[in-house]
């Protein structure tokens, strides 16, 4: 089997490895596609070396088919299409005891804390595997995990029909949030400076404005009779994005922090006081979010195929990372494992 191995900042090797049998309670999954996400880019840049060890196999956005059943595993069939919820909670910490295992204090994330999906066969605990509809293209199914992020974020904000929603940041997760919110019949406006991303948004039926060319607060006020947005999602990871997300909100509006901000950001707390705003963190997803994401992708209600910019073989994985970090006309990049020897 083949595996993509992280060796250190900006260094990936493609290795031939002996195929391991799945252990007790595990499924061996023949990977079809692996997606590359922002976390993978952070790892590639060396930003997570304290957590990701040497010779690590990364990746967690994926689709595939059951190849082998480990001892003690029942209820699955070889060839069955599947995806993986790549999180393992401890079941003992305060978050887990309160029913919030998705934000476990000792969370183990597959593809970060343990081997991930950038390998032609991946052995994972069977209880983390979810079945897929046979008719769902596996290329599309590789985007179920980021769609689950969007489903969780929209649920966290309690988005409803008629809500005015502003999404700040038009990367893959921002566009997925906008699309899922529209499926709940919210009125969505995307804020994104990059022209390519705005064009992708338009292709998805999402209205998008350039903050460099438009007064976003004025545009939101015009759409809401000067009330402001009910909900804002900050997905840009920038200080300007935080300010915009706060400024567009109506009285008792809800700000959902989706992006990871590694440094402190100034926030207009007087506006929080004056308008009684609410701030929600949105970190990961729960199993119900994954199940709903599968439904949305399978039915085409979230047309994830329009986010796929590039699909290439494992031998081009270095080029895939380079394309993503350079920006430009790239949204989601997938690695295709199906032609690799097993």
């Amino acid at each position: 089997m083949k595996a993509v191995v992280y060796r250190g900042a900006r260094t990936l090797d493609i290795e031939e490895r002996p195929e391991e049998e799945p252990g007790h309670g595990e499924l061996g999954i023949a990977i079809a596609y692996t997606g590359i996400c922002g976390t993978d880019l952070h790892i590639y840049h060396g930003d997570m070396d304290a957590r990701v060890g040497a010779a690590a196999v990364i990746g967690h956005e994926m689709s595939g088919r059951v190849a082998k059943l480990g001892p003690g595993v029942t209820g699955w069939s070889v060839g069955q299409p599947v995806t993986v919820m790549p999180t393992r909670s401890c079941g003992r910490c305060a978050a887990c005891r309160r029913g919030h295992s998705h934000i476990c204090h000792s969370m183990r994330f597959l593809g970060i804390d343990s081997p991930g999906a950038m390998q032609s066969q991946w052995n994972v605990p069977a209880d983390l595997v979810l079945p897929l509809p046979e008719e769902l293209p596996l290329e599309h199914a590789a985007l179920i995990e980021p769609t689950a992020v969007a489903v969780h974020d929209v649920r966290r904000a309690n988005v409803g029909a008629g809500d005015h929603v502003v999404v700040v940041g038009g990367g893959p997760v921002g566009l997925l949030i906008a699309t899922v919110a529209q499926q709940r019949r919210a009125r969505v406006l995307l804020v994104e400076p990059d022209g390519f991303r705005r064009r992708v948004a338009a292709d998805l039926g999402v209205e998008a404005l350039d903050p460099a060319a438009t007064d976003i607060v004025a545009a939101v006020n015009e759409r809401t009779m000067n009330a402001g947005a009910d909900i804002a999602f900050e997905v840009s990871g920038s200080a300007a994005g935080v300010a915009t997300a706060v400024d567009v909100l109506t009285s008792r509006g809800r700000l959902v922090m989706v992006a990871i901000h590694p440094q402190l950001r100034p926030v207009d707390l007087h506006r929080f006081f004056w308008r009684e705003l609410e701030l929600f963190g949105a970190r990961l997803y729960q199993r119900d979010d994954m199940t709903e994401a599968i439904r949305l992708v399978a039915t085409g209600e979230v047309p994830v195929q329009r986010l796929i910019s590039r699909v290439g073989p494992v031998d081009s994985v270095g080029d895939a990372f380079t394309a993503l970090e350079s920006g430009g006309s790239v949204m989601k990049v997938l690695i295709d494992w199906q032609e690799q020897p097993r």
Side-chain angles (χ1 to χ4, degrees), residues 108-265:
R108 302 287 295 173
F109 204 97
L110 280 64
I112 301 176
D113 304 303
S114 62
M118 286 194 188
Q119 52 186 318
S120 53
Q121 181 170 307
W122 191 24
N123 296 329
V124 298
D127 63 332
L128 301 183
V129 180
L130 292 93
L132 299 174
E134 189 65 49
E135 66 274 12
L136 173 59
L138 291 178
E139 185 175 307
H140 301 173
L143 273 72
I144 284 170
E145 194 269 353
T147 303
V149 172
V151 169
H152 180 78
D153 296 346
V154 169
R155 285 176 164 175
R156 184 89 169 103
N158 195 27
V159 173
D163 282 340
H164 284 278
V165 172
V166 174
V167 180
V168 183
V173 171
L175 285 171
L176 287 168
I177 288 171
T179 307
V180 172
Q182 286 193 158
Q183 289 305 314
R184 290 195 166 201
R185 292 180 293 157
R187 290 170 283 191
V188 179
L189 178 66
L190 180 77
V191 179
E192 172 54 53
D194 183 79
F196 167 71
R197 290 180 170 185
R198 292 197 305 275
R199 289 191 294 275
V200 175
D203 189 42
L204 289 166
V206 176
E207 182 183 5
L209 295 179
D210 180 359
T214 305
D215 183 330
I216 300 300
V217 173
V220 172
N221 285 339
E222 181 181 350
R223 288 161 172 75
T224 61
M225 300 180 64
N226 290 319
D230 301 291
I231 301 154
F233 294 89
E234 204 306 285
V235 202
S236 74
S238 68
V242 173
T244 297
V246 173
D247 289 346
V248 298
L249 285 171
T250 188
S251 299
R252 291 205 168 182
R254 304 186 289 283
L255 170 60
V256 184
M257 191 56 63
V258 179
I260 298 172
H261 290 262
Q263 63 265 45
L264 299 178
R265 299 295 192 196

